[in-house]
Amino acid sequence: MSLQHFMDTYALKLLQAIFVHLGYVVLCVAIGSAIALVLAVLLTRIPRFSKLIMPFLSILQTIPGIVFIGILYLYTGMRPITVMIALSVYAIFPVLKNAYSGILHVDEKYKEAAKGCGMSSWQTLFYVELPLATPSIFTGIRMTVIYLVSWTVLAAMIGQGGLGEFIYRGVGTNDNRLILMGAVPAAVMAIGLGALLDKLQKKLTPRGIRLQEQSESGQSSGKGGI
Amino acid sequence: MIEYRNVTKSYGGSPVVKEICLTIEKGEFVVLVGPSGCGKTTTLKMLNRLIPMDGGDILINGKSVKEQNPEILRRNIGYVIQQIGLFPNMTVEQNITVVPRMMKWDKERRRKRARELMELVDMDYDTYANKYPSELSGGQQQRIGVLRALAVDPPVILMDEPFSALDPITRDSLQDEIKRLQKQLNKTVIFVTHDMNEAIKLADRIVFMYDGKILQAAPPEEMLRSPADGIIREFMGKHVQKIRMEDELNCSDIMRTRIATISPQRKTLECVELMSQYEVNSLVVVDDNKNYLGIVTIEDIRDHGEAGQPVEALIRTDAPCVGTGQHARDAFRILVEKKADYVVVVTPENRLAGIVTKSSISKAMASALWGEG
Ligand SMILES: Nc1ncnc2c1ncn2[C@@H]1O[C@H](COP(=O)(O)OP(=O)(O)OP(=O)(O)O)[C@@H](O)[C@H]1O
Ligand SMILES: [Mg+2]
């Protein structure tokens, strides 16, 4: 098969795969991050929760993706929802961990000042803790995005499309070109989404925090994160 | 009016604030002083319920703080912390108007208030309102910290070592400013520091705490003049600097109290023996009730004394003498003018209190210059 022919055969399929892949990543990162943020907030408000939820989640985290999707598959079948549940669950942990430690490590002086100003616990959260934790939260989301781009490859395992299809088929037929056709867009996607997030972070991080980080650069910032 | 009634607080069974009673009048500037860990911060924070008390009660205008919703209570008590704690994600204006925002003031009213407040400390609204804390100097930040506490015009302001992180010059000018604001706005201020100079400068009344208790609560002059406890004296000795001698010191502040005395019945030989033991050439003569009688000198004993004779006959009553309450500078002048070795200090009841020597002067000068006792 000439390269020209090869491209003609697969171009449309590839485009479709990229969109499916991207769709899974974006959707699952969004769902996972939302759940993670809610959990992180609950964990910091009700410390009892963290004793329950953290171990549970870190166990989930250690189950290999293939096993997890395999088990889920037994219950939810060969449907996109299976992939989405699995990927969303995986998306939770990095965001949760970063958001949780980000909120937890907001300098005590700000929490004390907030309390002294008569803020309730929730007001402190929204006016002070969450804004100050944004850099940390973004670190988590960024990690999740990178992970998920590669984990979404697993979707193809149960026939749910994405760039994994090329990779699996390439491995199966020993065709390196197919493997590359899956892997290169995935890599580009990871880099592209990362860059996009950086832009978004610049937009969303309160200016005062960025200024503070600049003036503190060089010193360790004491922020959460991994 | 604020009233601490037998307020106690323990951590893990060990009491850190012990049955504190204190009444603070409206418009009073009270400074809590004492060594580290004596319970100042705890005492302060129990007032706005940042720390719950274990026993006793604190009343503000007759109403127990325990009966008030803690958030509403705190909005009505200004609070300035040591680390300043301006919210880095908010502009200067947003920081100043945080409490008004909690109290649901509309935007116009908040803006107007921010302007007013910034005028109070001579910070230009248009220049600074939209700056972020990290763009301000330390002194400017803490000014904003103070304004944040003043935002809804609370009658009471709590300040926990608000200036200790600032350089001395900035600190000095902020002290002046806070004192001026307090007078101008007629605020009740409770201010924590362990800097005695700061306390003296700011306080209407200094409350000296030690080990969870109040040792003395008195105006600065009174505490300087008659500290109620050796601990306070020692603490002040370590911390008071630059006392202007002419104004503040009197003889009892600088005199030596451990001095060689002798009773008039003692014989001349005993007297000589004592002098050589202490390496002095005169002794102060007091009777059994410590009443001052005069001095006896080695010259007089040598020239007029007889062995075995009581020293009574040799007492000189013309030795230079000052009262405890007299200004230290009087003693100094006598020492210089009469070229005397020392001046005797007596109480108003004519009891011996001590002596002022030339080395007392140098010590007092040293402590005035370098804060060393
Ligand atoms: N959360 C806590 N748990 C246990 N002990 C505490 C706690 N907070 C304060 N203490 C202890 O209570 C005592 C009084 O503390 P406090 O902070 O009131 O002292 P302070 O006079 O303000 O001291 P400093 O001048 O160092 O600020 C100290 O011995 C301190 O170790
Ligand atoms: Mg303290």
Side-chain angles (χ1 to χ4, degrees), chain B residues 164-262:
Chain B
S164 60
L166 305 174
D167 65 90
I169 297 170
T170 313
R171 191 186 312 149
D172 206 54
S173 69
L174 265 125
Q175 286 166 350
D176 291 337
E177 259 178 73
I178 194 66
K179 186 74 191 171
R180 172 178 62 78
L181 284 174
Q182 180 258 344
K183 283 227 172 78
Q184 185 181 334
L185 307 171
N186 193 29
K187 300 288 178 203
T188 309
V189 174
I190 309 181
F191 188 108
V192 168
T193 181
H194 47 235
D195 176 354
M196 200 66 184
N197 294 309
E198 187 169 62
I200 291 165
K201 179 167 175 185
L202 295 174
D204 292 326
R205 194 151 54 109
I206 297 178
V207 173
F208 193 99
M209 291 187 65
Y210 186 81
D211 193 22
K213 284 176 292 209
I214 294 177
L215 288 189
Q216 187 176 14
E221 309 76 40
E222 188 183 324
M223 193 169 285
L224 279 171
R225 211 144 275 170
S226 47
D229 195 294
I231 295 164
I232 304 179
R233 194 193 313 272
E234 193 191 336
F235 191 85
M236 288 194 303
K238 258 189 283 175
H239 295 265
V240 177
Q241 291 173 23
K242 299 190 207 102
I243 292 182
R244 296 212 313 285
M245 283 185 289
E246 286 103 308
D247 293 342
E248 331 241 4
L249 286 182
N250 49 36
C251 293
S252 62
D253 293 325
I254 58 162
M255 67 191 182
R256 254 174 59 187
T257 51
R258 295 189 49 183
I259 42 175
T261 60
I262 194 162

Side-chain angles (χ1 to χ4, degrees), chain A residues 21 65-67 69 150-176 178-183:
Chain A
H21 205 95
I66 297 187
V67 176
I69 290 194
S150 57
W151 285 334
T152 303
V153 167
L154 295 176
M157 203 181 77
I158 57 167
Q160 295 309 313
L163 291 167
E165 245 168 47
F166 285 81
I167 294 171
Y168 280 119
R169 196 174 300 171
V171 171
T173 61
N174 215 353
D175 187 340
N176 284 342
L178 282 175
I179 295 180
L180 284 178
M181 269 182 99

Side-chain angles (χ1 to χ4, degrees), chain B residues 345-360:
Chain B
V345 185
V346 295
T347 66
E349 301 81 23
N350 201 39
R351 297 242 164 79
L352 176 68
I355 59 173
V356 174
T357 64
K358 288 202 173 110
S359 73
S360 318

Side-chain angles (χ1 to χ4, degrees), chain A residues 24 69-70 72-83 155-161 165:
Chain A
Y24 278 134
I69 290 194
L72 259 178
Y73 165 71
L74 295 177
Y75 293 93
T76 53
M78 222 154 124
R79 289 185 293 156
I81 188 80
T82 309
V83 176
M157 203 181 77
I158 57 167
Q160 295 309 313
E165 245 168 47

Side-chain angles (χ1 to χ4, degrees), chain B residues 11 16 34-43 160-161 192 194:
Chain B
Y11 284 114
V16 296
S36 188
C38 68
K40 305 180 293 290
T41 298
T42 309
T43 303
D160 194 352
E161 305 197 29
V192 168
H194 47 235

Side-chain angles (χ1 to χ4, degrees), chain B residues 3-186:
Chain B
E3 217 183 329
Y4 282 77
R5 283 194 187 157
N6 299 313
V7 177
T8 55
K9 176 73 192 176
S10 309
Y11 284 114
S14 60
V16 296
V17 171
K18 305 168 182 171
E19 302 244 332
I20 277 195
C21 292
L22 178 66
T23 304
I24 297 166
E25 298 302 330
K26 181 169 169 41
E28 194 175 16
F29 200 126
V30 167
V31 178
L32 304 182
V33 204
S36 188
C38 68
K40 305 180 293 290
T41 298
T42 309
T43 303
L44 190 78
K45 286 196 195 168
M46 284 190 290
L47 182 67
N48 67 357
R49 292 185 61 185
L50 284 175
I51 295 177
M53 61 190 114
D54 293 340
D57 205 353
I58 303 176
L59 310 180
I60 301 179
N61 293 326
K63 199 171 164 200
S64 166
V65 295
K66 291 193 224 164
E67 288 159 15
Q68 299 173 50
N69 172 310
E71 274 125 37
I72 295 174
L73 175 77
R74 288 179 202 136
R75 286 172 204 167
N76 289 303
I77 298 175
Y79 184 49
V80 184
I81 61 173
Q82 174 182 9
Q83 312 91 327
I84 305 179
L86 293 182
F87 305 121
N89 53 318
M90 299 183 194
T91 62
V92 163
E93 173 162 14
Q94 286 167 338
N95 266 290
I96 296 179
T97 56
V98 145
V99 186
R101 203 150 107 204
M102 299 297 116
M103 295 173 83
K104 309 254 187 308
W105 288 20
D106 64 54
K107 218 175 162 153
E108 243 351 272
R109 189 171 169 207
R110 294 206 305 258
R111 173 144 304 165
K112 193 166 152 263
R113 184 61 180 153
R115 259 179 201 286
E116 267 170 29
L117 286 164
M118 289 175 73
E119 246 163 52
L120 277 180
V121 295
D122 275 330
M123 280 176 83
D124 180 47
Y125 178 88
D126 297 314
T127 312
Y128 291 107
N130 292 314
K131 284 217 156 81
Y132 284 89
S134 56
E135 299 172 287
L136 304 180
S137 71
Q140 288 172 329
Q141 287 185 26
Q142 194 56 299
R143 277 192 187 90
I144 301 300
V146 170
L147 295 187
R148 178 171 67 184
L150 289 170
V152 295
D153 207 16
V156 180
I157 315 279
L158 310 181
M159 308 181 106
D160 194 352
E161 305 197 29
F163 305 143
S164 60
L166 305 174
D167 65 90
I169 297 170
T170 313
R171 191 186 312 149
D172 206 54
S173 69
L174 265 125
Q175 286 166 350
D176 291 337
E177 259 178 73
I178 194 66
K179 186 74 191 171
R180 172 178 62 78
L181 284 174
Q182 180 258 344
K183 283 227 172 78
Q184 185 181 334
L185 307 171
N186 193 29

